[in-house]
Every structure is written in C-alpha cells, then in structure tokens.
Amino acid sequence: MRKLLSVVVWTLLCCSLSIQEDIFTSIGQMTDLIHTEKELVQSLKEYILAEESKLAAVKSWANKLDSLTQVSSSDPEGFLAHPVNAYKLMKRLHTEWSQLESLVLQDPSEGFISNISTHRPFFPDQEDEKGAAKALMRLQDTYQLDSESFSRGKLPGRLHSNVLLTVDDCFDMGKTAYNDGDYYHSVLWMQQALRQLDMGEDSVASKATVLDYLSYSVYQMGDLPRAIELTLRLVALDSGHQRAGANLRYFEQLLSKQLTEVKQSELTSFEEPIQIGTYARPKDHLPEREVYEALCRGEGVQMTEKRRSGLFCRYHDGNRNPRLLLRPMMEEDEWDSPRIVRYLNALSHDEIETIKQLAKPNVSLSQTPQTLQSLCMCVFSSAWLEGEDDPVVARVNQRIEDITGLTVRTAELLQVANYGVGGQYEPHFDFSRKDEPDAFKRLGTGNRVATFLNYMSDVEAGGATVFPDFGAAIRPKKGTAVFWYNLFSSGEGDYRTRHAACPVLVGNKWVSNKWIHERGQEFRRPCGLTPGN
C-alpha cells in the first residue's frame, strides 16, 4: 500500500510541477501549488477510501465465508445433502471466489494469489456450475416444485430451512436455462427473480435486465400477450431500452389486436404470476417421463391391498448354504411379478464405510456405454472395486453368491455409485437387448442375468428405484439390498424390469451394484425352454 501511495503522489507531483522550474519566485505560482496540494489531498483521501472500501469488502467476504465454512465443514455430507447448498457451492467457487480474486488483485497480495492459484485447478468450472443449475431444474420438474419453494428452502423432507436463493441466484439459474435454449425453465426462474425484486430485495441484476430476459423467454413459449405486458413494463421502467423497443414493435406486428386491449393503467401493474403448469413442459426423448416422475413422487404406485396380501417375509438360508445356516438372511417380498426381494442387514455399517472409503479416491462421472443405453441420462459418480482390493469387498461378493445361489466369478466388478445433487439414472434396462448383441461381448460372460443392488445410505427425500412398466417404487434403506432377475430362465430379456434411479432431492445416496452374468449359471439356474419363463 505504501509503495502504491508513493507512485500515486509522485505521478501527481510530476504532472503538477512540470510547468516551470522557478516556482518559488512567484507567490502567484505558489498559489497554484496550494490548489495542487488540495487536489493531492483529495486524491489521497479518495485513494484511502478506495482501500478502506476494498478492505471492508474483503472483511465482509471473510466473515460470511467463515461462518458458512464452519457450518459446512462440521458435517460436509449433511451440508451437501441439501441440493441448494450443493448448487450454491458450485456457484460460489466458480463465480463468487473469482470476484473476490479480482478485488484482491487491485492491490496484489502474493500470499492470497499463490494460495488461490494453487487451488484453482481443483475449482468447479463453468460446466460444473451449469450442471448444478440443471440439477435443480431436474428436481423441480420431477417433484413438481415451483421456484418459490426452492428459493425459500421449502423442500420435502425438510420442515424448515434457512438456505435461500437470492435474486441473483434465481437470475443466474434463469440465465443458464436461457443460454441453453431452455425457455421453459428460464421463464420460471426469471419470474422468481422478478418476484423477489418486486418485494424489495437488493441485487446486482437490475429489474430491467430481468424483465428483458423474461419477456423474450415468455415470447419463445408462445405467450405473446404476456410478452407484450412484460415488455411494456420494461419500457415504462427504462424508456431508452433499445432492445425492448425493437421487441415491442415486433410483438406489435404479431399481436396488434391484443396490444390495443392493453390499458394504460396496466403498464405498471403486476402481471399474473407464472407457475409450474402455466406453460406446457417440452417433450423429450423419454416416452415414460410422466409415469417415471410420478412414481418418484410416490404417485401411481400399483401396490394394491390384494397384491400386498400375497407378499411375505421369511428367513433365507441360500438353500442351506453353510455360511447362512447359523445366520440366515431376512428376506422380504417387494413385488410379486416380476419378483423383487429385499434383504435386510445385507451390509453392516463398518462394511459400508470401508467400501465408501475404497471408492472415494477413484470415483468419476459415470458414463453409460452407447452400445447399451444411447439415450440414457446418468448423473452420478462411480468406482469399480475388485475382491482383491480389500477383504471386505471379497466378503461382500461371497455373500451375494451365497444369497442368490449364482456364481459371481463371471459377474462384473462391484460398482459403487454416489448420487449427488439431482443425481439420477433415467429408465433403462440392465440387460442387453436383441438390437444390442455386442454390449457385453468383450466380457465373454453373456448377458446380465440378475441385479443385486445394495443401498449404503438412507435418503431423506427422493432417490427411489422405480419400475415404470408395473408401477413399483422401492425406497432406499441403509444396509438393505434388493435383487431381481433381468432374464427369464429361457434367456429372454424381461422387459418389465426397465427401471430408474429417481433424482435425489434431499440427502446423499450411496449404492453398490453387482451385475451377475449368464456364464457359470448353467447348473445354478438351468435354462428353461418356454419363452417368458
């Protein structure tokens, strides 16, 4: 700071004293120095104010982030279990820390810059922030939550929450959708930003900017009357807004009759709020989207009393397997046809923690092979564990073999998956179908005959495993596992087993999958001759 002050003073002195050399010989000329000095003092005061303002801003950042990190670091997984916390972490590290960096760079601080430069390679990038924003939108769609609920922290599974979205948060959400050509979500989030601005909340984004984005997004949704109403409000707010005037003239050409019906008194009135359902949500690639999402919300589950009466629980010893005789598994029927069973106490707490610790260093964004599910959208991170990695993995593999009666020697490695904010796996088949004959060719072990799914965490809200074909929804329960066959004994695929992992709304979902293949099962599950059996 002292060095910079010297530069400022020296620069001003050089500019002021370069008039002539013998200034002291003239009082008049010296009088000019009085004014120069006054200007220097004023400049110095402005410099000090700028430094103090910058320091106050940095202190404010530090106090806010200190309070926040004390809460987040006390229970990282619990903190990130709330999807808004996860989104704001992405946004904070990608956008806000960069703003702080620019502020500090005005007076270079080698220690801070060195520290932030060291960590920057590990910061979320633009795609991470964009992905987190899209995750909130996905949760919004699946669980039919309006933007107001998200903004005010009103989520299922949480009685109350002080995790709020500011105007700028909502604006950035809307802008992310807008830049992606997703005008449906752009409307929902720009509308929420406008609502909070109308309530007097401060923001960096101006009301005119929000109205600009919102009016055009509404137009793209085909609602010309509302687009005109919003544009008129924008013009009333900023009469010199060039784009608003051009848009208004264009809308006038498209909807001149409706424009004449807009009364002058309505120019400053609040438009009717836009909610989920105001506009039709665009269709996508998934044919069973509505059924799938309804099941995720707990709607449309086809568990009738008659069906429930046919479900039972029992002790399962794996056909008198020696390892299960003294400690049989508790088995519960989850569904009758196709048969899905759940095993209680399939994993202990210590086993779960060991598996998670083994997986964490190796997790990466999961990508579904195009040969198997070219249209499937998977949002989770996963790692693959071998039995040789740890005795716990070997023990779990053996337990799966004991329970199912199927050999795991030809099975895939144990896949450990962690679903973060909005984590999901859209409807898919675990087995390869006739149009995908080479999906598992490189393994040389045939098709996936069965799936054994371990739940390694409870999930506060969302995260169910659903089967759209027959309307089943299975909730995660820590330490339990579910099992079903993907193929009939004839080797034909059971298309009813198309299933999905619902987006995690609140919580942190950990699972481990064991996909068991056909090879080696010839005497354990003999082939049937009748298709569909």
Side-chain angles (χ1 to χ4, degrees), residues 182-185 187 216-224 279-282:
D182 179 6
Y183 299 107
Y184 172 79
H185 288 106
V187 166
Y216 187 76
S217 297
V218 166
Y219 157 70
Q220 287 290 340
M221 293 303 297
D223 190 350
L224 279 172
Y279 304 119
R281 181 175 157 197

mmCIF file of all heavy atoms in Angstrom, residues 182-185 187 216-224 279-282:
data_model
loop_
_atom_site.group_PDB
_atom_site.id
_atom_site.type_symbol
_atom_site.label_atom_id
_atom_site.label_comp_id
_atom_site.label_asym_id
_atom_site.label_seq_id
_atom_site.Cartn_x
_atom_site.Cartn_y
_atom_site.Cartn_z
ATOM 1 N N ASP A 182 -33.374 -23.245 -23.175
ATOM 2 C CA ASP A 182 -34.435 -23.836 -22.355
ATOM 3 C C ASP A 182 -35.294 -22.699 -21.804
ATOM 4 O O ASP A 182 -35.145 -22.267 -20.662
ATOM 5 C CB ASP A 182 -33.809 -24.655 -21.229
ATOM 6 C CG ASP A 182 -34.836 -25.291 -20.302
ATOM 7 O OD1 ASP A 182 -36.048 -25.193 -20.600
ATOM 8 O OD2 ASP A 182 -34.430 -25.881 -19.287
ATOM 9 N N TYR A 183 -36.212 -22.225 -22.638
ATOM 10 C CA TYR A 183 -37.006 -21.065 -22.245
ATOM 11 C C TYR A 183 -38.064 -21.411 -21.202
ATOM 12 O O TYR A 183 -38.525 -20.535 -20.470
ATOM 13 C CB TYR A 183 -37.648 -20.441 -23.483
ATOM 14 C CG TYR A 183 -36.628 -19.957 -24.482
ATOM 15 C CD1 TYR A 183 -36.409 -20.642 -25.673
ATOM 16 C CD2 TYR A 183 -35.839 -18.846 -24.212
ATOM 17 C CE1 TYR A 183 -35.455 -20.212 -26.587
ATOM 18 C CE2 TYR A 183 -34.871 -18.412 -25.111
ATOM 19 C CZ TYR A 183 -34.687 -19.104 -26.297
ATOM 20 O OH TYR A 183 -33.727 -18.693 -27.184
ATOM 21 N N TYR A 184 -38.441 -22.673 -21.121
ATOM 22 C CA TYR A 184 -39.420 -23.107 -20.110
ATOM 23 C C TYR A 184 -38.882 -22.812 -18.709
ATOM 24 O O TYR A 184 -39.560 -22.185 -17.892
ATOM 25 C CB TYR A 184 -39.693 -24.601 -20.282
ATOM 26 C CG TYR A 184 -40.532 -25.213 -19.189
ATOM 27 C CD1 TYR A 184 -41.916 -25.044 -19.170
ATOM 28 C CD2 TYR A 184 -39.935 -25.970 -18.177
ATOM 29 C CE1 TYR A 184 -42.684 -25.609 -18.160
ATOM 30 C CE2 TYR A 184 -40.702 -26.536 -17.173
ATOM 31 C CZ TYR A 184 -42.081 -26.357 -17.165
ATOM 32 O OH TYR A 184 -42.835 -26.918 -16.158
ATOM 33 N N HIS A 185 -37.652 -23.261 -18.423
ATOM 34 C CA HIS A 185 -37.089 -23.022 -17.095
ATOM 35 C C HIS A 185 -36.613 -21.578 -16.945
ATOM 36 O O HIS A 185 -36.612 -21.039 -15.839
ATOM 37 C CB HIS A 185 -35.939 -23.990 -16.827
ATOM 38 C CG HIS A 185 -36.376 -25.401 -16.600
ATOM 39 N ND1 HIS A 185 -36.214 -26.400 -17.541
ATOM 40 C CD2 HIS A 185 -37.005 -25.967 -15.552
ATOM 41 C CE1 HIS A 185 -36.702 -27.527 -17.067
ATOM 42 N NE2 HIS A 185 -37.196 -27.298 -15.868
ATOM 43 N N VAL A 187 -38.172 -18.998 -17.968
ATOM 44 C CA VAL A 187 -39.365 -18.264 -17.526
ATOM 45 C C VAL A 187 -39.589 -18.451 -16.025
ATOM 46 O O VAL A 187 -39.828 -17.492 -15.286
ATOM 47 C CB VAL A 187 -40.602 -18.729 -18.313
ATOM 48 C CG1 VAL A 187 -41.882 -18.233 -17.648
ATOM 49 C CG2 VAL A 187 -40.546 -18.222 -19.748
ATOM 50 N N TYR A 216 -38.625 -12.011 -23.320
ATOM 51 C CA TYR A 216 -38.258 -12.765 -24.523
ATOM 52 C C TYR A 216 -38.485 -14.265 -24.326
ATOM 53 O O TYR A 216 -38.911 -14.964 -25.251
ATOM 54 C CB TYR A 216 -36.797 -12.506 -24.893
ATOM 55 C CG TYR A 216 -36.421 -13.121 -26.220
ATOM 56 C CD1 TYR A 216 -36.827 -12.541 -27.424
ATOM 57 C CD2 TYR A 216 -35.679 -14.299 -26.273
ATOM 58 C CE1 TYR A 216 -36.494 -13.117 -28.649
ATOM 59 C CE2 TYR A 216 -35.341 -14.883 -27.487
ATOM 60 C CZ TYR A 216 -35.758 -14.288 -28.676
ATOM 61 O OH TYR A 216 -35.438 -14.865 -29.879
ATOM 62 N N SER A 217 -38.214 -14.763 -23.122
ATOM 63 C CA SER A 217 -38.451 -16.185 -22.843
ATOM 64 C C SER A 217 -39.929 -16.516 -22.923
ATOM 65 O O SER A 217 -40.317 -17.569 -23.453
ATOM 66 C CB SER A 217 -37.891 -16.549 -21.459
ATOM 67 O OG SER A 217 -36.486 -16.365 -21.403
ATOM 68 N N VAL A 218 -40.757 -15.627 -22.405
ATOM 69 C CA VAL A 218 -42.209 -15.830 -22.474
ATOM 70 C C VAL A 218 -42.667 -15.831 -23.933
ATOM 71 O O VAL A 218 -43.517 -16.631 -24.339
ATOM 72 C CB VAL A 218 -42.942 -14.741 -21.667
ATOM 73 C CG1 VAL A 218 -44.433 -14.716 -21.991
ATOM 74 C CG2 VAL A 218 -42.734 -14.967 -20.168
ATOM 75 N N TYR A 219 -42.100 -14.926 -24.718
ATOM 76 C CA TYR A 219 -42.406 -14.908 -26.154
ATOM 77 C C TYR A 219 -42.042 -16.243 -26.802
ATOM 78 O O TYR A 219 -42.801 -16.787 -27.616
ATOM 79 C CB TYR A 219 -41.658 -13.760 -26.825
ATOM 80 C CG TYR A 219 -41.445 -13.952 -28.307
ATOM 81 C CD1 TYR A 219 -42.515 -13.894 -29.209
ATOM 82 C CD2 TYR A 219 -40.164 -14.216 -28.806
ATOM 83 C CE1 TYR A 219 -42.311 -14.092 -30.571
ATOM 84 C CE2 TYR A 219 -39.960 -14.406 -30.163
ATOM 85 C CZ TYR A 219 -41.043 -14.355 -31.041
ATOM 86 O OH TYR A 219 -40.843 -14.563 -32.383
ATOM 87 N N GLN A 220 -40.875 -16.776 -26.447
ATOM 88 C CA GLN A 220 -40.447 -18.055 -27.007
ATOM 89 C C GLN A 220 -41.384 -19.192 -26.598
ATOM 90 O O GLN A 220 -41.497 -20.195 -27.311
ATOM 91 C CB GLN A 220 -39.014 -18.379 -26.560
ATOM 92 C CG GLN A 220 -37.945 -17.544 -27.235
ATOM 93 C CD GLN A 220 -37.775 -17.899 -28.706
ATOM 94 O OE1 GLN A 220 -38.157 -18.968 -29.155
ATOM 95 N NE2 GLN A 220 -37.200 -16.978 -29.474
ATOM 96 N N MET A 221 -42.065 -19.034 -25.483
ATOM 97 C CA MET A 221 -43.036 -20.046 -25.053
ATOM 98 C C MET A 221 -44.383 -19.866 -25.735
ATOM 99 O O MET A 221 -45.336 -20.604 -25.477
ATOM 100 C CB MET A 221 -43.207 -20.003 -23.528
ATOM 101 C CG MET A 221 -41.973 -20.435 -22.748
ATOM 102 S SD MET A 221 -41.389 -22.092 -23.176
ATOM 103 C CE MET A 221 -42.773 -23.105 -22.676
ATOM 104 N N GLY A 222 -44.486 -18.850 -26.608
ATOM 105 C CA GLY A 222 -45.698 -18.660 -27.392
ATOM 106 C C GLY A 222 -46.760 -17.806 -26.742
ATOM 107 O O GLY A 222 -47.883 -17.719 -27.249
ATOM 108 N N ASP A 223 -46.431 -17.157 -25.616
ATOM 109 C CA ASP A 223 -47.405 -16.330 -24.896
ATOM 110 C C ASP A 223 -47.181 -14.862 -25.256
ATOM 111 O O ASP A 223 -46.580 -14.096 -24.499
ATOM 112 C CB ASP A 223 -47.254 -16.564 -23.398
ATOM 113 C CG ASP A 223 -48.379 -15.928 -22.592
ATOM 114 O OD1 ASP A 223 -49.164 -15.155 -23.166
ATOM 115 O OD2 ASP A 223 -48.461 -16.214 -21.381
ATOM 116 N N LEU A 224 -47.705 -14.444 -26.426
ATOM 117 C CA LEU A 224 -47.495 -13.075 -26.884
ATOM 118 C C LEU A 224 -48.148 -12.025 -25.987
ATOM 119 O O LEU A 224 -47.540 -10.985 -25.714
ATOM 120 C CB LEU A 224 -47.977 -12.931 -28.321
ATOM 121 C CG LEU A 224 -46.996 -13.415 -29.396
ATOM 122 C CD1 LEU A 224 -47.663 -13.414 -30.756
ATOM 123 C CD2 LEU A 224 -45.759 -12.533 -29.418
ATOM 124 N N TYR A 279 -47.205 -23.042 -18.520
ATOM 125 C CA TYR A 279 -46.823 -23.456 -19.866
ATOM 126 C C TYR A 279 -46.539 -24.952 -19.872
ATOM 127 O O TYR A 279 -46.111 -25.524 -18.866
ATOM 128 C CB TYR A 279 -45.576 -22.694 -20.336
ATOM 129 C CG TYR A 279 -45.728 -21.198 -20.303
ATOM 130 C CD1 TYR A 279 -44.898 -20.407 -19.520
ATOM 131 C CD2 TYR A 279 -46.732 -20.575 -21.050
ATOM 132 C CE1 TYR A 279 -45.042 -19.040 -19.479
ATOM 133 C CE2 TYR A 279 -46.882 -19.205 -21.016
ATOM 134 C CZ TYR A 279 -46.035 -18.435 -20.227
ATOM 135 O OH TYR A 279 -46.195 -17.076 -20.192
ATOM 136 N N ALA A 280 -46.794 -25.562 -21.020
ATOM 137 C CA ALA A 280 -46.532 -26.994 -21.158
ATOM 138 C C ALA A 280 -45.034 -27.240 -21.192
ATOM 139 O O ALA A 280 -44.300 -26.547 -21.891
ATOM 140 C CB ALA A 280 -47.186 -27.535 -22.426
ATOM 141 N N ARG A 281 -44.601 -28.213 -20.432
ATOM 142 C CA ARG A 281 -43.193 -28.568 -20.419
ATOM 143 C C ARG A 281 -42.834 -29.280 -21.720
ATOM 144 O O ARG A 281 -43.538 -30.197 -22.142
ATOM 145 C CB ARG A 281 -42.925 -29.486 -19.229
ATOM 146 C CG ARG A 281 -41.479 -29.927 -19.062
ATOM 147 C CD ARG A 281 -41.377 -30.722 -17.789
ATOM 148 N NE ARG A 281 -40.235 -31.615 -17.793
ATOM 149 C CZ ARG A 281 -40.108 -32.639 -16.965
ATOM 150 N NH1 ARG A 281 -41.086 -32.905 -16.095
ATOM 151 N NH2 ARG A 281 -39.050 -33.411 -17.002
ATOM 152 N N PRO A 282 -41.763 -28.876 -22.374
ATOM 153 C CA PRO A 282 -41.392 -29.504 -23.650
ATOM 154 C C PRO A 282 -41.154 -31.003 -23.502
ATOM 155 O O PRO A 282 -40.636 -31.469 -22.487
ATOM 156 C CB PRO A 282 -40.092 -28.775 -24.029
ATOM 157 C CG PRO A 282 -40.138 -27.485 -23.282
ATOM 158 C CD PRO A 282 -40.851 -27.779 -21.999
#
